[in-house]
């Protein structure tokens, strides 16, 4: 993988302070990132299914923020 110089510097520093190889640090970071993306995708798909099946009803964003403003006053 190719990184920007500042990212590569940070990767090297982290590898050095953790006594690990840069490849291992990068592998762990990518694995964690991909797991997080998959989790978010699953959550969003579930929310979409909830709305699509009408188990939950969407709310208007402007109305919601207006109700927050009124409540704060």
């Amino acid at each position: 993988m190719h990184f920007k110089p500042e990212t590569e510097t940070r990767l090297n520093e982290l590898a050095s302070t953790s006594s690990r190889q840069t490849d291992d640090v990068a592998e762990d970071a990518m694995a964690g990132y991909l797991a997080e993306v998959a989790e978010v995708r699953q959550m969003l798909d579930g929310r979409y299914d909830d709305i699509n099946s009408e188990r939950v009803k969407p709310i208007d964003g402007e109305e919601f923020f207006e109700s927050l403003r009124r409540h704060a006053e």
Side-chain angles (χ1 to χ4, degrees):
M1 295 174 79
H2 297 284
F3 298 107
K4 293 180 181 178
E6 59 271 11
T7 303
E8 189 165 354
T9 298
R10 292 172 58 200
L11 177 61
N12 288 329
E13 288 172 358
L14 181 58
S16 177
T17 59
S18 64
S19 300
R20 299 176 66 207
Q21 297 293 316
T22 55
D23 288 351
D24 293 337
V25 174
E27 174 70 28
D28 287 351
M30 281 302 296
Y33 170 75
L34 294 173
E36 186 175 329
V37 167
E39 184 179 321
V40 169
R41 178 80 263 157
Q42 185 178 20
M43 186 253 327
L44 290 174
D45 288 345
R47 298 287 190 242
Y48 176 80
D49 291 343
D50 288 343
I51 290 171
N52 200 32
S53 68
E54 297 182 356
R55 286 189 295 259
V56 296
K57 294 187 182 210
I59 60 172
D60 181 86
E62 290 298 321
E63 289 177 19
F64 173 75
F65 285 112
E66 181 58 34
S67 70
L68 283 179
R69 281 187 217 101
R70 284 193 308 268
H71 183 64
E73 293 174 349

